[in-house]
């Protein structure tokens, strides 16, 4: 493993938004192109963690912008309903979307780390797990002064910092929308707040991004909010109306330029030390993501929309949440040589195993919850959630804490003369 980085993504399943090319409205439609973008983002993150794409960690920003865009679209649509935004229902839907797969993967990961991981990996996984459960892993790593860029190989759950960032956004942003979007000009006020918040977040990142270690700037919810808020800005009516007036050919051309810019940034960015990355580079990348997403949402049936929503990328996007949860533990726990294969061979095996685990998680966890299978709703659903949570806590309690220093000495080296 040549890379020790980790990224994140929420990757909600429903890629849809009010309106289309000809205006806002309250009609919701599924946008396959946004699923395709999600597939591109998760592919970039996987290749980054495999040490094959140095700028692939920027795929996390695409996830963030998508989340801000989709969630804000949902909230603004609910504002037009007779009873407005139902906060409790919104948070329950987010919990149903995020928690079942997260609990399943984290519980299984602790078990696998117990059997196949190093003592250091197991010890740190046990330390990090409660913070993952509290959706505060990012601030835990910041407070512990864990260098995100140097300690990834020993932390099996480090990639879940981004899930925490998104969850924190989901807790706060609906409250802002609920208050600010009331009355006439509500969406215009949301656009102003989102733009101002994104610029403030950029200023914080610039002020913190010149440190020797940039973990605080990279994992802080306040510094990463710019990507989420740029996505939120792109979902507001003032932006949607302007982009709806862009001719289809011009929209396709702008989409192509934005996509090429994103691909170039992923290919040419030389890791976290790239000049300007924390001085506006990631902000510019997120702005390009927001433009691409908004254009595809405004004209989903254009050439760019059909290309982005092709079958392969769309299916990868539909797997992206579970795939993101699984890939980092698989990459770390897999032996350096698998069936005699290393390098790209090992990368292919790791990605294949991650895809398989993600497909199983989607089939047996995500889909039943999304389709509201009987055991996932009402009293049965509450009992199932409590049982799964108890199992996860029980696993955390049962797995033995390695003794300090275990596994840090190579006994073979000591006995070799």
């Amino acid at each position: 493993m040549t890379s020790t980085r980790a990224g994140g993504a929420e990757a909600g399943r429903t890629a849809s938004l009010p309106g289309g090319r000809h205006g806002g409205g309250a009609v919701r439609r599924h946008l396959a192109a946004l699923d395709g973008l999600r597939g591109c983002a998760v592919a970039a993150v996987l290749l980054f963690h495999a040490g094959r794409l140095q700028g692939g960690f920027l795929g996390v920003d695409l996830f963030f912008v998508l989340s801000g865009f989709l969630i804000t679209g949902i909230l603004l649509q609910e504002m037009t309903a007779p009873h407005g935004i139902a906060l409790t229902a919104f948070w329950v839907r987010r919990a149903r979307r995020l928690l079942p797969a997260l609990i399943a993967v984290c519980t299984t990961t602790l078990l696998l780390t117990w059997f196949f991981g190093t003592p250091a990996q197991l010890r740190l996984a046990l330390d990090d797990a409660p913070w993952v459960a509290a959706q505060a892993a990012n601030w835990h790593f910041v407070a512990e002064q864990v260098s995100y860029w140097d300690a990834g190989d020993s932390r099996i759950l480090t990639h879940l910092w981004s899930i925490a960032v998104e969850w924190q956004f989901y807790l706060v942003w609906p409250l802002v929308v609920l208050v600010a979007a009331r009355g006439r000009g509500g969406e215009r006020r949301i656009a102003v707040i989102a733009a101002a918040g994104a610029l403030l977040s950029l200023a914080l990142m610039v002020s913190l991004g010149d440190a020797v270690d940039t973990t605080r700037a990279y994992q802080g919810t306040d510094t990463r909010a710019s990507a989420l808020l740029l996505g939120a800005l792109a979902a507001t009516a003032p932006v949607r109306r302007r982009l709806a007036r862009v001719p289809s050919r011009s929209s396709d051309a702008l989409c192509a330029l934005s996509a090429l810019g994103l691909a170039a940034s992923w290919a040419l960015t030389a890791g976290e030390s790239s000049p300007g990355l924390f001085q506006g580079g990631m902000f510019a990348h997120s702005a390009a993501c927001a433009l691409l997403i908004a254009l595809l949402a405004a004209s989903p049936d254009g050439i760019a929309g059909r290309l982005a929503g092709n079958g392969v990328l769309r299916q990868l996007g539909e797997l992206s949440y579970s795939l993101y949860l699984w890939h980092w533990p698989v990459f770390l726990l897999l032996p350096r040589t698998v069936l005699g294969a290393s390098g790209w061979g090992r990368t292919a095996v790791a990605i294949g195993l991650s895809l398989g685990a993600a497909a199983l998680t989607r089939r047996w966890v995500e889909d039943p919850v999304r389709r509201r299978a009987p055991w996932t709703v009402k009293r049965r659903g509450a009992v199932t959630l409590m049982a799964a949570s108890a199992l996860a806590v029980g696993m955390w309690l049962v797995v033995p804490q390695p003794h300090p220093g275990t596994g840090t000495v190579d006994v073979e080296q000591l006995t070799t003369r």
Side-chain angles (χ1 to χ4, degrees):
M1 181 72 63
T2 60
S3 172
T4 61
R5 288 92 169 160
E10 180 271 341
R13 176 71 52 78
T14 305
S16 52
L17 191 76
R21 162 156 289 283
H22 299 294
V27 177
R28 291 180 61 81
R29 59 177 300 186
H30 188 83
L31 301 180
L34 300 193
D35 282 332
L37 289 185
R38 189 175 290 118
C40 292
V42 77
V45 172
L46 262 65
L47 291 175
F48 170 71
H49 285 153
R52 307 299 174 185
L53 186 63
Q54 283 190 301
F57 66 93
L58 292 171
V60 174
D61 289 73
L62 178 51
F63 276 123
F64 282 165
V65 178
L66 277 164
S67 293
F69 181 78
L70 295 171
I71 292 303
T72 303
I74 292 171
L75 292 170
L76 292 176
Q77 180 188 353
E78 290 187 358
M79 283 298 297
T80 65
H83 301 292
I85 297 174
L87 286 177
T88 300
F90 172 85
W91 286 324
V92 168
R93 289 196 303 272
R94 288 295 87 203
R96 286 176 59 85
R97 176 68 188 98
L98 293 174
L99 294 185
L102 183 65
I103 292 172
V105 173
C106 286
T107 304
T108 307
T109 295
L110 282 179
L111 183 62
L112 293 173
T113 306
W114 184 12
F115 285 106
F116 302 108
T118 66
Q121 288 173 337
L122 180 58
R123 182 172 61 254
L124 292 172
L126 292 171
D127 289 343
D128 296 341
W131 297 96
V132 171
Q135 298 294 350
N138 61 321
W139 291 114
H140 164 62
F141 296 138
V142 169
E144 293 292 314
Q145 297 184 336
V146 175
S147 176
Y148 171 78
W149 309 106
D150 298 324
D153 283 347
S154 59
R155 305 194 89 100
I156 212 84
L157 301 177
T158 190
H159 64 310
L160 300 180
W161 71 270
S162 65
I163 307 300
V165 169
E166 295 205 3
W167 185 258
Q168 293 157 31
F169 176 76
Y170 297 151
L171 289 178
V172 176
W173 185 241
L175 297 172
V176 175
V177 175
L178 179 65
V179 174
R182 292 180 181 274
R184 295 185 60 183
E187 292 208 29
R188 188 178 298 108
R189 286 192 293 275
I190 293 299
V192 170
I193 292 171
L199 291 174
L200 177 59
S201 177
L202 168 64
L204 288 171
M205 176 173 283
V206 170
S207 67
L208 295 169
D210 60 355
V212 174
D213 179 66
T214 54
T215 300
R216 170 64 180 85
Y218 189 71
Q219 291 192 338
T221 308
D222 48 2
T223 51
R224 301 313 300 273
S226 59
L228 290 152
L229 290 172
L230 286 171
L233 173 62
T236 60
V239 175
R240 294 202 315 270
R241 281 196 287 264
R242 283 171 173 78
L243 292 181
R245 294 196 291 266
V246 177
S248 295
R249 289 186 178 180
S250 298
S251 177
D252 286 334
L254 287 172
C255 286
L257 288 174
S258 299
L260 287 174
L262 296 183
S265 66
W266 295 353
L268 300 177
T269 298
E272 75 281 2
S273 60
S274 294
L277 185 65
F278 292 95
Q279 283 70 47
M282 278 200 288
F283 185 88
H285 176 272
S286 296
C289 291
L291 176 62
L292 177 59
I293 291 166
L295 286 169
L296 289 174
S299 185
D301 299 321
I303 296 174
R306 294 197 299 273
L307 289 174
N310 73 78
V312 174
L313 289 179
R314 187 180 68 249
Q315 291 179 34
L316 188 60
E318 291 174 350
L319 277 178
S320 61
Y321 181 52
S322 287
L323 181 56
Y324 181 79
L325 294 178
W326 274 115
H327 82 281
W328 187 239
V330 170
F331 280 19
L332 290 193
L333 295 175
L334 199 65
R336 292 187 179 275
T337 302
V338 183
L339 300 176
S342 58
W344 274 104
R346 182 185 185 277
T347 297
V349 172
I351 291 176
L353 289 174
S354 300
L355 284 168
L360 290 174
T361 304
R362 178 189 171 193
R363 171 66 178 84
W364 297 107
V365 180
E366 291 189 74
D367 282 352
V369 172
R370 181 171 61 89
R371 295 169 181 167
R372 305 184 73 83
W375 59 269
T376 71
V377 296
K378 297 183 179 179
R379 184 174 298 178
R380 289 185 184 180
V383 171
T384 301
L385 178 61
M386 289 189 290
S389 300
L391 178 62
V393 173
M395 180 66 66
W396 180 73
L397 292 173
V398 167
V399 174
Q401 179 75 247
H403 295 294
T406 302
T408 60
V409 177
D410 190 337
V411 177
E412 293 184 2
Q413 291 294 327
L414 293 177
T415 59
T416 300
R417 296 184 180 180

PDB file of all heavy atoms in Angstrom, residues 26 190 200 262 361 387:
ATOM      1  N   ALA A  26     -42.191  21.544  -8.452  1.00  0.00           N
ATOM      2  CA  ALA A  26     -42.170  20.589  -7.352  1.00  0.00           C
ATOM      3  C   ALA A  26     -42.110  19.161  -7.840  1.00  0.00           C
ATOM      4  O   ALA A  26     -42.272  18.237  -7.086  1.00  0.00           O
ATOM      5  CB  ALA A  26     -43.413  20.779  -6.479  1.00  0.00           C
ATOM      6  N   ILE A 190     -31.692  31.667   1.017  1.00  0.00           N
ATOM      7  CA  ILE A 190     -30.878  30.457   1.168  1.00  0.00           C
ATOM      8  C   ILE A 190     -29.650  30.530   0.266  1.00  0.00           C
ATOM      9  O   ILE A 190     -28.541  30.143   0.665  1.00  0.00           O
ATOM     10  CB  ILE A 190     -31.708  29.201   0.841  1.00  0.00           C
ATOM     11  CG1 ILE A 190     -32.808  29.015   1.893  1.00  0.00           C
ATOM     12  CG2 ILE A 190     -30.827  27.962   0.789  1.00  0.00           C
ATOM     13  CD1 ILE A 190     -32.295  28.818   3.290  1.00  0.00           C
ATOM     14  N   LEU A 200     -16.946  31.961   3.811  1.00  0.00           N
ATOM     15  CA  LEU A 200     -16.393  31.936   5.167  1.00  0.00           C
ATOM     16  C   LEU A 200     -15.618  30.651   5.411  1.00  0.00           C
ATOM     17  O   LEU A 200     -14.527  30.658   5.995  1.00  0.00           O
ATOM     18  CB  LEU A 200     -17.526  32.073   6.186  1.00  0.00           C
ATOM     19  CG  LEU A 200     -17.117  31.994   7.669  1.00  0.00           C
ATOM     20  CD1 LEU A 200     -16.113  33.088   8.011  1.00  0.00           C
ATOM     21  CD2 LEU A 200     -18.349  32.088   8.561  1.00  0.00           C
ATOM     22  N   LEU A 262     -12.185  18.512 -13.892  1.00  0.00           N
ATOM     23  CA  LEU A 262     -12.145  17.622 -12.736  1.00  0.00           C
ATOM     24  C   LEU A 262     -11.182  16.461 -12.966  1.00  0.00           C
ATOM     25  O   LEU A 262     -10.379  16.114 -12.091  1.00  0.00           O
ATOM     26  CB  LEU A 262     -13.543  17.085 -12.431  1.00  0.00           C
ATOM     27  CG  LEU A 262     -14.606  18.102 -12.016  1.00  0.00           C
ATOM     28  CD1 LEU A 262     -15.911  17.393 -11.689  1.00  0.00           C
ATOM     29  CD2 LEU A 262     -14.146  18.935 -10.842  1.00  0.00           C
ATOM     30  N   THR A 361     -23.938  -6.034   0.838  1.00  0.00           N
ATOM     31  CA  THR A 361     -24.497  -5.084   1.807  1.00  0.00           C
ATOM     32  C   THR A 361     -25.702  -4.369   1.223  1.00  0.00           C
ATOM     33  O   THR A 361     -26.705  -4.151   1.901  1.00  0.00           O
ATOM     34  CB  THR A 361     -23.421  -4.065   2.224  1.00  0.00           C
ATOM     35  OG1 THR A 361     -22.286  -4.750   2.742  1.00  0.00           O
ATOM     36  CG2 THR A 361     -23.955  -3.110   3.280  1.00  0.00           C
ATOM     37  N   ALA A 387     -31.447  -4.250  18.182  1.00  0.00           N
ATOM     38  CA  ALA A 387     -30.688  -5.498  18.200  1.00  0.00           C
ATOM     39  C   ALA A 387     -29.355  -5.341  17.480  1.00  0.00           C
ATOM     40  O   ALA A 387     -28.309  -5.811  17.960  1.00  0.00           O
ATOM     41  CB  ALA A 387     -31.509  -6.618  17.559  1.00  0.00           C
TER      42      ALA A 387
END
